[in-house]
Amino acid sequence: RRPGRRGSFGRLRHLREVQRRYFLELLEGRYDADYAERRLRVGQAHEHAGLAPKWYLGAYNRYFRLAVRRIAEACGSDGARQLRAVEALSKILFLDIGLALDTYIARSQHDLQRRADELAALHHLAATANASLDLLTVLNLGLDRTLAAMKAGLGMLFLVDESGREIILKAHRGVSPEFAAASARITS
């Protein structure tokens, strides 16, 4: 085995173990606010790691099939008891699938809002550039919009001169005047 692959197998084993513990937790029957919050955090971690919703659905499908077999074995020929157990299992799984999908929907909405904010900033910058052909005004506004979009408190905007040998500070926010003065011209 290559070293990098061993790490992947370890992560996969870890995910399987977490999923196994999770399915055991599902059967405990405590579905309070703490449970929902834990499930949302796990969903966020899975989403952040790049696990697609189809991964969740595949895991739930596998679990459901295994659980139904065990229910059938445990309940024997008592059809009413089997039905009650499968109904309870379905209720639990759909609750959890809903929580998992909510995580992905929330992330998508967050990403869409961030992109909309970025586009609005660019639109405003373009409108200002069209209204005012003053380069410094446009650069200062561009820096302000970029910092706002990035939720950053400081930044510096440089331009390269015509010769390509000097980088000149044109706008700055959140840095001391001394630092800005020291950074005003950088020669290559």
Side-chain angles (χ1 to χ4, degrees):
R1 287 187 202 168
R2 295 189 312 244
R5 293 189 58 108
R6 200 172 338 184
S8 297
F9 289 128
R11 281 190 296 272
L12 183 58
R13 265 195 305 271
H14 175 72
L15 280 174
R16 284 183 180 154
E17 175 58 23
V18 167
Q19 195 68 23
R20 186 189 69 75
R21 283 191 312 239
Y22 156 67
F23 282 129
L24 290 174
E25 182 182 287
L26 264 180
L27 298 174
E28 289 178 8
R30 289 181 302 205
Y31 310 112
D32 56 6
D34 288 339
Y35 168 83
E37 187 176 320
R38 276 193 318 276
R39 290 309 304 148
L40 287 171
R41 279 198 313 268
V42 169
Q44 288 168 345
H46 287 174
E47 189 277 334
H48 183 73
L51 293 175
K54 66 182 177 182
W55 181 86
Y56 270 107
L57 296 177
Y60 290 123
N61 178 42
R62 182 171 178 248
Y63 172 74
F64 185 75
R65 286 183 293 126
L66 291 172
V68 167
R69 284 187 199 129
R70 296 241 170 100
I71 288 170
E73 291 168 4
C75 295
S77 62
D78 187 348
R81 188 171 167 214
Q82 284 182 7
L83 181 60
R84 285 191 307 274
V86 169
E87 286 173 344
L89 178 63
S90 298
K91 182 179 178 182
I92 294 165
L93 283 179
F94 281 109
L95 165 70
D96 205 74
I97 288 170
L99 291 171
L101 292 178
D102 281 349
T103 300
Y104 284 91
I105 291 167
R107 178 62 178 234
S108 293
Q109 288 173 336
H110 177 265
D111 289 347
L112 285 173
Q113 185 60 52
R114 184 177 48 80
R115 288 185 181 125
D117 292 345
E118 290 168 357
L119 288 173
L122 287 173
H123 173 72
H124 190 269
L125 180 59
T128 302
N130 284 333
S132 165
L133 295 179
D134 177 44
L135 180 61
L136 272 175
T137 301
V138 173
L139 293 176
N140 276 295
L141 182 62
L143 179 59
D144 289 339
R145 296 294 178 177
T146 301
L147 293 175
M150 294 174 63
K151 295 179 175 55
L154 60 99
M156 300 172 76
L157 191 142
F158 294 87
L159 292 181
V160 178
D161 74 347
E162 295 85 21
S163 72
R165 294 184 183 169
E166 283 190 309
I167 301 172
I168 304 164
L169 178 65
K170 291 294 186 178
H172 61 87
R173 301 287 182 275
V175 297
S176 70
E178 297 79 18
F179 185 79
S183 305
R185 276 186 140 28
I186 301 170
T187 306
S188 60

